[in-house]
């Protein structure tokens, strides 16, 4: 998969989050994933590293200027509450309001997300592909193939051992809660 550069000055059609806000549990998981050293703060460096691991390169100074105003004085990075405020701000100001999104646009966004996992481009997410992405993100869930296979089985409605786009879309609809 080639490197893709993202711009933080204008929305990218392939990286907009137009679905309803993530529920607080999922947002907390994202925060914890970015907080590599476990100090309950996300630094600009940690966010930059996570974006790079996902193959989404951004200029450090752009990330820093975006995040800086959300870091409270005296803190090294974003506390969880600051991260939530940043998420809400980006959702409202940068990515647009979810209620204005038509189904075709949502499908386009989900297809872009699906392609991140479908590394070989065959239209299916295998356990091995999911394991690779989880590994890139540094998630321990991806360390054991059996765990990853169980994740696949939990959304594999046709029992073929793979996740196709429709199964992925249904999984996303069930895990993203309205704000």
């Amino acid at each position: 998969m080639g490197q893709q550069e993202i711009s933080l000055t204008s929305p990218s059609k392939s990286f907009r989050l137009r679905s309803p806000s993530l529920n607080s549990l999922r947002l907390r998981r994202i925060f914890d994933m970015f907080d590599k050293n476990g100090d309950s703060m996300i630094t600009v460096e940690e966010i930059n590293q996570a974006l790079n691991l996902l193959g989404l390169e951004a200029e450090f100074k752009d990330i820093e200027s975006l995040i800086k105003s959300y870091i409270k004085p005296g803190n090294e990075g974003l506390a969880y509450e600051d991260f939530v405020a940043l998420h809400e701000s980006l959702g409202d100001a940068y990515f647009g309001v979810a209620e204005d999104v038509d189904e075709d646009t949502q499908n386009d966004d989900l297809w872009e997300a699906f392609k991140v996992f479908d590394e070989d481009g065959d239209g299916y997410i295998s356990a091995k592909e999911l394991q690779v992405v989880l590994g890139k993100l540094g998630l321990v869930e991806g360390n054991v193939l059996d765990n990853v296979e169980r994740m696949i089985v939990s959304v594999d409605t046709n029992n073929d051992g793979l996740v196709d786009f429709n199964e992925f879309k249904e999984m996303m609809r069930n895990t993203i809660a309205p704000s």
Side-chain angles (χ1 to χ4, degrees), residues 20-109:
S21 295
L22 295 172
N23 62 33
S24 60
L25 175 64
R26 291 186 51 77
L27 194 58
R28 184 67 205 206
R29 282 183 174 167
I30 292 168
F31 179 87
D32 291 342
M33 179 182 69
F34 284 175
D35 181 18
K36 290 293 185 190
N37 63 359
D39 66 352
S40 298
M41 292 277 167
I42 301 176
T43 64
V44 175
E45 291 83 7
E46 288 170 323
I47 291 175
N48 190 51
Q49 180 184 20
L51 290 173
N52 286 332
L53 287 171
L54 290 169
L56 302 168
E57 294 183 8
E59 291 291 324
F60 183 84
K61 64 180 173 47
D62 292 337
I63 295 171
E64 185 176 41
S65 68
L66 176 70
I67 294 170
K68 196 176 193 179
S69 64
Y70 291 90
I71 298 174
K72 289 192 174 83
N75 286 349
E76 296 283 321
L78 296 168
Y80 178 69
E81 306 78 45
D82 307 327
F83 183 68
V84 170
L86 173 64
H87 174 262
E88 289 171 355
S89 173
L90 289 175
D92 294 341
Y94 184 72
F95 296 114
V97 179
E99 290 75 30
D100 296 338
V101 178
D102 63 22
E103 191 167 337
D104 288 339
T105 303
Q106 286 179 356
N107 280 336
D108 290 345
D109 292 342

Side-chain angles (χ1 to χ4, degrees), residues 33 36 117 126-152:
M33 179 182 69
K36 290 293 185 190
F117 293 92
S126 68
K128 191 66 182 161
E129 287 172 317
L130 179 57
Q131 185 178 35
V132 167
V133 173
L134 293 174
K136 286 180 182 177
L137 293 171
L139 298 174
V140 295
E141 291 91 336
N143 290 344
V144 179
L145 189 58
D146 285 346
N147 293 343
V148 178
E149 288 171 346
R150 280 194 290 277
M151 289 179 197
I152 294 285

